[in-house]
Amino acid sequence: MTTLDHPYPFTALVGQDDLRLALLLNAVSARVGGVLVRGEKGTAKSTAVRALTALLPEVDVVAGCRFSCDPAAPDPRCPDGPHAPAQAEARRPARMVELPVGASEDRLVGALDIERALAEGVKAFEPGLLAAAHRGILYVDEVNLLGDHLVDLLLDAAAMGVSSVEREGVSVRHAARFLLVGTMNPEEGELRPQLLDRFGLTVEVAASRETDERVEVVRRRMAYEDDPAAFAARFAGDEAALRTRIAEARELLPRVALGDTALRQIAATCAAFEVDGMRADLVMARTATALAAWAGRDSVLAEDVRQAALLALPHRGRRNPFDAPGLDEDKLDEVLDENAGPGEEPEAPDDGDGPDGPGGGGGVPPQGGGPEDRTGQDRGDQDGGPGDTSPAPAAPSDAEGKGPAGAAEQPAASATAPFRTKKLTVPGLGEGAAGRRSRARTAHGRTTGSYRPRGGALGSLHLAATVRAAAPHQKARGRTGAGLVVRGDDLRLASREGREGNLVLFVVDASGSMAARQRMGAVKGAVLSLLLDAYQRRDKVGLVTFRGREARLALPPTSSVDTAAARLASLPTGGRTPLAAGLLKARDVLRIERLRDPARRALLVVVTDGRATGGPEPLPLARRAAGLLAADGTASVVVDCEAGPVRLGLAGDLAGRLGGSAVTLDALRADALAGLVKDVRGGDGARGVRDVRGDRRAA
């Protein structure tokens, strides 16, 4: 017997109470809207979702229907329909369908056989994953790494319960109602706020730090791997009881009353936490109702509203990527107390005795062990962890990097408020991941031409180009009448141009020459502003710092700009200025990233006053390092941080040797950046920045 024959029991999970409760509430009421699970790897996220599938009741389907139509109410728009009232029925278990990160749009929504449609006049449709997940679970691991257009399609279908496919005038619509579960590691990047809002609930998960609990996790996981059948049998009774309870809660749900007091508490809570729109109010109302049904009650209580807020609001309160997720529970209790009904005394939760704890009668099963491997290591950005990249102690120096050894390191300066910047672009035409920065060939965007298919699945058909290719051959193909004979060789696909996301690598001078606190605060504010711009444009970001005797990779390239902001905030200053080391470290980082993701082009942003001190011939070494980056074709911008009445112009010289341009801190603000954009693109006689292919074409 394999583990596939006997999935890990849901009731055997240890801990993760919020995760289990959120999943169970969605099993009780599909209208809750799914759940987004945020947390580190190895915390039983995917195993919990698979285990939930086994608890869902079997579904009745029309025999032979690829879209899982319900025999009692078949979809009138079903592509396999219309279904006769007496059509044969079948029963099957509920499905869990996984959407891989690399899935295409056609794989998600389905694909039309364009060649058959044109040549034979047949509207042939191959269902996608949305159709397969209908009346089951759609599980998306690493949902934050999906392309934005795929996430939009996915969440639209989840909200509407319908999937629509439009291809060159051919339209297919079918039902797509499913329980949506997404998981993500926040360190790999955040979802946009408008996409976060489409998930009904969110939970944060982390490996337990309790020794006894971790021991039980390992013990149960090893027992399961040794004999999956025996382990599943051990929890069969608990699984059956939980399955029965889900069915009873579903039956009770329509009779649960949401009173005026509870509804007022929901509205007041959403208003107090300033969430956008009305979706949060609706999700809280549905969640509180499901909580009451789960607890076996026919009315919603204040404790249900409180628990619903803790699950439905944390991800809706973020205004930008630098805001920490979470909810102020003291403020929540105050709002609930202020809006309690006459004579009602709201109970403060204590020790989990709310609707998901033992005292509330509605809790998730207390036993359980997380089956996935859980490590005792902290995340990479914790002090001393394997990914620790905290800055090294300062090298002996004075504030300008020229003084005697033993000078004290200066404390980290606070960043000034971020401001809006205008777009910097990489010249040329790329083919990287979809984003909002530089021009690129993309699957979505304006049509710029056509090309012959190169094998594999067909993309977007260029109808006019296909007709032009087929037209000269009609006589030879024996065409009679008004029809057009089209063959596979005639097909032409549309080439489109849109925008791509780039790798923006910041190289920040943290030496003594930059260490005046007011100036360093302005530097951090400028970098923070550029980080915010990178988030909005779907870029990856990395951070290299140099000071003392070395350069450090403070943040490996990532999509998590909030992690970059945290590293920047704690950046200390002082010591000499190893500019050459910083540039060479950046070159090494870019070389490795090109191997990992050749299609993603890079933009190097060097933040420095251009000085170089320490070691023999520091300035010539820095110039040679800049020449190597220019020879690699790296697009670059130098943010000139030189201050004072006497200016040496070293940053401008560095920009020229990099093949890029320089801009002052003041020029980064608002409309002042417009001139810089022209410079970066090579306009107005400025020296153009090379793209990664080494040419000097304007964007």
Side-chain angles (χ1 to χ4, degrees):
M1 290 291 181
T2 67
T3 56
L4 295 178
D5 298 320
H6 299 280
Y8 196 95
F10 192 87
T11 52
L13 295 170
V14 173
Q16 308 294 16
D17 290 346
D18 286 344
L19 171 59
R20 291 187 290 146
L21 179 62
L23 291 173
L24 289 169
L25 292 176
N26 275 276
V28 170
S29 173
R31 299 178 67 196
V32 167
V35 57
L36 175 65
V37 187
R38 297 163 43 95
E40 58 197 17
K41 59 183 179 294
T43 49
K45 299 189 295 291
S46 59
T47 302
V49 179
R50 293 187 180 95
L52 178 70
T53 310
L55 297 175
L56 299 180
E58 293 186 333
V59 294
D60 294 321
V61 298
V62 173
C65 178
R66 298 173 298 166
F67 300 86
S68 301
C69 278
D70 185 351
D75 180 9
R77 295 168 299 189
C78 177
D80 285 355
H83 299 299
Q87 191 158 342
E89 301 179 10
R91 171 166 287 195
R92 63 162 177 79
R95 293 174 181 158
M96 188 194 80
V97 176
E98 294 191 52
L99 175 64
V101 171
S104 65
E105 180 179 339
D106 286 346
R107 183 74 182 101
L108 177 64
V109 301
L112 291 170
D113 189 332
I114 299 175
E115 187 170 355
R116 288 187 63 193
L118 288 175
E120 304 174 26
V122 176
K123 187 191 295 185
F125 179 71
E126 184 65 28
L129 296 177
L130 292 180
H134 180 47
R135 305 175 69 194
I137 296 176
L138 182 60
Y139 175 56
V140 188
D141 194 16
E142 297 180 317
V143 64
N144 53 322
L145 302 184
L146 281 178
D148 284 348
H149 69 288
L150 288 182
V151 178
D152 284 333
L153 287 170
L154 176 66
L155 295 178
D156 281 344
M160 303 286 293
V162 174
S163 174
S164 301
V165 185
E166 306 287 343
R167 292 289 188 276
E168 301 296 340
V170 181
S171 176
V172 174
R173 290 168 62 87
H174 64 84
R177 294 184 294 274
F178 47 82
L179 192 169
L180 176 63
V181 182
T183 62
M184 59 175 284
N185 185 342
E187 292 186 353
E188 295 174 340
E190 289 286 355
L191 279 171
R192 289 181 286 155
Q194 59 267 42
L195 297 181
L196 282 172
D197 185 54
R198 302 294 289 274
F199 281 95
L201 310 179
T202 185
V203 293
E204 299 277 345
V205 296
S208 173
R209 299 299 186 254
E210 295 293 330
T211 301
D212 291 342
E213 193 167 291
R214 295 176 74 94
V215 167
E216 187 62 20
V217 169
V218 174
R219 179 181 290 122
R220 293 191 182 191
R221 180 63 189 185
M222 293 179 69
Y224 172 68
E225 291 175 348
D226 289 342
D227 192 343
F231 188 83
R234 194 174 133 199
F235 289 89
D238 294 331
E239 292 285 287
L242 189 57
R243 192 177 294 109
T244 300
R245 185 172 174 188
I246 292 174
E248 291 173 348
R250 283 184 170 187
E251 185 178 350
L252 175 61
L253 184 66
R255 303 196 300 273
V256 175
L258 179 66
D260 290 342
T261 298
L263 191 55
R264 187 173 187 82
Q265 287 178 317
I266 290 170
T269 300
C270 292
F273 285 95
E274 300 180 354
V275 296
D276 296 330
M278 295 297 298
R279 185 174 284 117
D281 303 63
L282 291 169
V283 171
M284 275 190 65
R286 293 164 180 163
T287 304
T289 304
L291 279 162
W294 178 245
R297 290 184 266 101
D298 59 3
S299 61
V300 174
L301 304 181
E303 62 191 50
D304 300 321
V305 176
R306 186 182 195 277
Q307 183 64 56
L310 293 175
L311 293 172
L313 296 187
H315 61 303
R316 292 184 163 89
R318 304 190 77 189
R319 291 293 186 273
N320 64 63
F322 309 134
D323 291 340
L327 207 64
D328 185 340
E329 295 192 34
D330 291 337
K331 179 179 178 180
L332 173 61
D333 291 333
E334 290 178 7
V335 174
L336 294 177
D337 290 348
E338 291 172 0
N339 291 274
E344 184 178 344
E345 189 67 29
E347 271 188 37
D350 56 345
D351 299 327
D353 285 352
D356 63 331
V364 294
Q367 72 272 20
E372 296 187 7
D373 179 67
R374 305 187 184 194
T375 68
Q377 295 176 339
D378 292 334
R379 294 184 185 179
D381 61 340
Q382 299 295 321
D383 294 340
D388 182 30
T389 53
S390 55
S397 169
D398 66 355
E400 290 297 321
K402 303 176 183 178
E409 177 183 286
Q410 300 183 18
S414 298
T416 58
F419 50 86
R420 184 177 181 182
T421 67
K422 290 189 177 179
K423 182 167 58 179
L424 301 175
T425 62
V426 178
L429 192 63
E431 295 181 346
R436 295 186 175 182
R437 185 172 296 279
S438 304
R439 292 174 55 216
R441 299 181 184 92
T442 59
H444 301 271
R446 63 185 181 91
T447 301
T448 58
S450 64
Y451 64 95
R452 188 190 297 269
R454 293 184 285 269
L458 292 178
S460 178
L461 183 71
H462 195 300
L463 188 58
T466 299
V467 171
R468 285 196 298 268
H473 308 290
Q474 297 306 296
K475 184 176 181 180
R477 294 172 184 173
R479 187 192 73 173
T480 59
L484 185 69
V485 180
V486 179
R487 295 180 179 173
D489 291 343
D490 301 326
L491 297 180
R492 297 294 184 270
L493 304 186
S495 57
R496 301 180 183 277
E497 183 177 310
R499 292 283 173 178
E500 68 178 358
N502 298 115
L503 166 60
V504 181
L505 182 61
F506 295 94
V507 181
V508 180
D509 183 349
S511 67
S513 65
M514 293 275 292
R517 290 185 62 78
Q518 184 176 0
R519 192 188 337 160
M520 197 61 196
V523 168
K524 288 186 176 182
V527 177
L528 197 65
S529 303
L530 291 168
L531 281 173
L532 184 58
D533 180 70
Y535 165 78
Q536 294 168 341
R537 300 192 187 281
R538 317 290 181 264
D539 295 318
K540 290 180 69 174
V541 295
L543 178 62
V544 171
T545 65
F546 59 94
R547 57 187 290 270
R549 296 189 178 94
E550 64 177 357
R552 295 178 61 86
L553 179 59
L555 181 72
T558 175
S559 297
S560 179
V561 296
D562 50 345
T563 303
R567 299 289 172 86
L568 182 71
S570 61
L571 180 67
T573 58
R576 296 184 180 275
T577 312
L579 177 57
L583 296 176
L584 291 175
K585 172 63 75 173
R587 183 173 184 248
D588 190 49
V589 171
L590 294 176
R591 177 184 61 82
I592 294 173
E593 286 302 307
R594 285 192 187 104
L595 294 175
R596 291 176 176 169
D597 189 357
R600 188 181 289 270
R601 301 185 295 162
L603 175 64
L604 185 69
V605 179
V606 185
V607 185
T608 181
D609 56 12
R611 300 188 185 186
T613 61
E617 300 183 331
L619 194 56
L621 282 175
R623 288 171 174 171
R624 286 199 288 273
L628 292 174
L629 283 163
D632 292 340
T634 303
S636 58
V637 174
V638 177
V639 180
D640 184 358
C641 302
E642 190 173 27
V646 179
R647 305 198 178 191
L648 304 178
L650 295 175
D653 178 72
L654 175 64
R657 294 178 185 277
L658 285 168
S661 60
V663 59
T664 64
L665 283 175
D666 291 339
L668 281 175
R669 295 180 176 275
D671 294 339
L673 194 58
L676 170 65
V677 174
K678 290 183 181 180
D679 290 348
V680 173
R681 292 177 175 174
D684 293 348
R687 186 173 185 181
V689 182
R690 302 180 185 182
D691 68 10
V692 293
R693 295 173 183 156
D695 64 27
R696 301 285 288 276
R697 294 173 295 174

